[in-house]
Amino acid sequence: VGLFTDRDLLVRVLAAGLPLTVPMPECLTPNPVVVQPKDPVQAALKKMEKGGYRHLPVVGDDRRPVGVLSVRRVMHYLVEHFPGLVYNHP
C-alpha cells in the first residue's frame, strides 16, 4: 500500500534515471501520512506542516481511501468559518 505523486515521479523515477516501465512498488511512497474524516483540522495542518505536504490522503477506519485533503481546501474552510480572523490578519 502506498501513494504515487508527482514528487515521486520527479525524484524517484526521472531524477534517478529509471525507465518509465519501472514497477510502481519500486517508486511509490510506502505507508503515507494520512488523516481520517473525523480528525480535527488542526491535526491535519500539523501533519502537513511537519512533512511539507500539500495534500494528505483521507482514509476510513479500514484504511481505504475516501478522499484527499488539500491545503487549498483547508484555506477555504478557514475563510468560510473564520472570515474576520482571516481577512483582518496582518
Side-chain angles (χ1 to χ4, degrees), residues 23-44:
M24 196 60 77
E26 292 180 27
C27 53
L28 56 73
T29 300
N31 302 312
V33 174
V34 300
V35 291
Q36 293 190 313
K38 295 196 183 245
D39 285 350
V41 173
Q42 180 182 12

Side-chain angles (χ1 to χ4, degrees), residues 39-59:
D39 285 350
V41 173
Q42 180 182 12
L45 287 173
K46 282 184 179 181
K47 289 180 180 185
M48 288 175 157
E49 180 182 18
K50 183 178 179 183
Y53 309 125
R54 296 175 305 222
H55 299 87
L56 287 178
V58 181
V59 298

Side-chain angles (χ1 to χ4, degrees), residues 4-89:
F4 184 74
T5 66
D6 57 340
R7 188 177 295 176
D8 294 318
L9 174 64
L10 293 172
V11 174
R12 295 184 177 166
V13 179
L14 300 177
L18 296 176
L20 294 179
T21 56
V22 65
M24 196 60 77
E26 292 180 27
C27 53
L28 56 73
T29 300
N31 302 312
V33 174
V34 300
V35 291
Q36 293 190 313
K38 295 196 183 245
D39 285 350
V41 173
Q42 180 182 12
L45 287 173
K46 282 184 179 181
K47 289 180 180 185
M48 288 175 157
E49 180 182 18
K50 183 178 179 183
Y53 309 125
R54 296 175 305 222
H55 299 87
L56 287 178
V58 181
V59 298
D61 292 333
D62 59 358
R63 300 271 307 161
R64 294 180 63 89
V66 296
V68 175
L69 179 66
S70 69
V71 171
R72 178 177 286 200
R73 183 63 202 123
V74 172
M75 290 305 298
H76 284 280
Y77 172 86
L78 293 174
V79 169
E80 184 178 318
H81 289 85
F82 306 101
L85 241 154
V86 173
Y87 290 125
N88 295 320
H89 193 41

